[in-house]
């Protein structure tokens, strides 16, 4: 079930459930998977690292129970990511991504995530210089380049971050992924793919449409 072992020939598409109808969350998640999504992206926010509150391990556990075979990609926008590694591993998460801006030792973070049995991701916000993550890329399975300032879905894509993607891509092994998250839609996805992203996260551009299958295919570039 790991996304990491086989490099995709087309970008993977990861719906962010932040824009799903929470009153029908199981059905929404089942629907996007049936419509071609490769994994589900869960945005966890603590009201401190970002000015919003969203979801925690209990929701992850429910989705794991409803969708036993789906890859669950958890994006932590929190101040103390280390304390959530075990809870999310126990809740069935497959990928645990935390931010360089959360001020944890990136190598300790990657080791702890791997020891808990998950794939490890490292995220970088738009204002942060790419040099801050370059020494640590080798330790992670996925690098997440944020293309909005995190906190909310539906924001405009920041094109300047594409330079970071080009820089990071040059350092990646074939079994590492490069993810873009924020403002990825039918027009901006082209530049993301061209720059070397192979996992595209989208909330509004999927859940904000009525035809999930067409939206997912268009993001993928088919
Ligand atoms: C932003 C989150 C994103 C967000 C994307 O803080 O990390 O995953 O849900 O939403 P869209 O695709 O609408 O920009
Ligand atoms: Zn996210």
């Amino acid at each position: 079930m790991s996304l990491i072992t086989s490099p995709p020939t087309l970008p993977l598409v990861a719906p962010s459930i932040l824009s799903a109808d929470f009153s029908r969350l199981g059905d929404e998640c089942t629907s996007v998977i049936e419509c071609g999504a490769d994994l589900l992206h869960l945005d966890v926010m603590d009201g401190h690292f970002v000015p919003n509150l969203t979801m925690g391990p209990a929701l992850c556990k429910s989705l794991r129970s409803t969708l036993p075979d789906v890859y669950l990609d958890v994006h932590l926008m929190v101040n103390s990511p280390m304390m959530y590694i075990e809870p999310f591993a126990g809740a069935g998460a497959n990928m645990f991504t935390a931010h360089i801006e959360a001020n944890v030792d990136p190598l300790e973070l990657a080791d702890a995530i791997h020891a808990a049995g998950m794939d490890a991701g490292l995220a970088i916000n738009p204002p942060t210089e790419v040099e801050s993550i370059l020494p640590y890329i080798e330790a992670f399975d996925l690098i997440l380049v944020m293309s909005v300032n995190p906190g909310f879905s539906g924001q405009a894509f920041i094109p300047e971050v594409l330079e970071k993607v080009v820089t990071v891509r040059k350092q990646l092994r074939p079994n590492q992924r490069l993810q873009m998250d924020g403002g990825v839609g039918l027009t901006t996805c082209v530049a993301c793919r061209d720059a070397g992203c192979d996992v595209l996260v989208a909330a509004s551009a999927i859940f904000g449409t009525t035809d999930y299958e067409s939206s997912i295919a268009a993001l993928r570039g088919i």
Side-chain angles (χ1 to χ4, degrees):
M1 178 153 88
S2 180
L3 293 180
I4 304 306
T5 50
S6 49
T9 51
L10 289 167
L12 302 172
V13 176
S16 159
I17 65 170
L18 195 55
S19 289
D21 178 349
F22 283 6
S23 71
R24 305 173 38 250
L25 190 55
D27 290 345
E28 287 271 74
C29 291
T30 300
S31 180
V32 289
I33 293 297
E34 287 176 356
C35 288
D38 300 283
L39 63 154
L40 295 175
H41 183 87
L42 281 61
D43 286 306
V44 176
M45 305 184 189
D46 67 352
H48 296 280
F49 186 80
V50 290
N52 197 3
L53 292 164
T54 55
M55 56 195 79
L59 187 140
C60 183
K61 188 175 178 187
S62 293
L63 290 181
R64 170 53 67 226
S65 170
T66 299
L67 298 161
D69 299 325
V70 170
Y71 190 98
L72 299 177
D73 164 30
V74 181
H75 175 195
L76 279 289
M77 286 155 278
V78 303
N79 273 345
S80 303
M82 297 289 278
M83 67 186 279
Y84 298 108
I85 292 174
E86 286 299 334
F88 274 104
N94 299 101
M95 169 77 72
F96 186 101
T97 297
H99 276 255
I100 189 76
E101 298 86 2
N103 294 320
V104 292
D105 181 322
L107 299 180
E108 278 181 27
L109 176 73
D111 283 350
I113 296 169
H114 286 142
M118 297 181 288
D119 295 325
L122 183 63
I124 179 169
N125 279 339
T128 306
E129 297 292 331
V130 72
E131 285 73 20
S132 67
I133 61 167
L134 297 182
Y136 310 113
I137 285 177
E138 193 182 1
F140 288 86
D141 304 293
L142 174 144
I143 300 298
L144 165 51
V145 176
M146 289 301 300
S147 36
V148 297
N149 290 303
F152 300 91
S153 57
Q155 301 184 74
F157 185 81
I158 300 172
E160 288 77 13
V161 304
L162 290 166
E163 287 176 26
K164 286 185 202 172
V165 172
V166 173
T167 303
V168 171
R169 168 50 68 194
K170 289 178 189 155
Q171 285 203 23
L172 295 180
R173 305 184 303 267
N175 65 346
Q176 291 174 299
R177 303 271 74 79
L178 182 41
Q179 185 176 62
M180 186 67 94
D181 181 8
V184 177
L186 298 188
T187 51
T188 53
C189 67
V190 179
C192 299
R193 296 195 304 256
D194 288 349
C197 294
D198 52 19
V199 187
L200 300 178
V201 175
S204 323
I206 296 174
F207 289 108
T209 67
T210 51
D211 185 345
Y212 295 167
E213 189 167 1
S214 298
S215 303
I216 290 166
L219 289 167
R220 202 191 305 284
I222 54 178

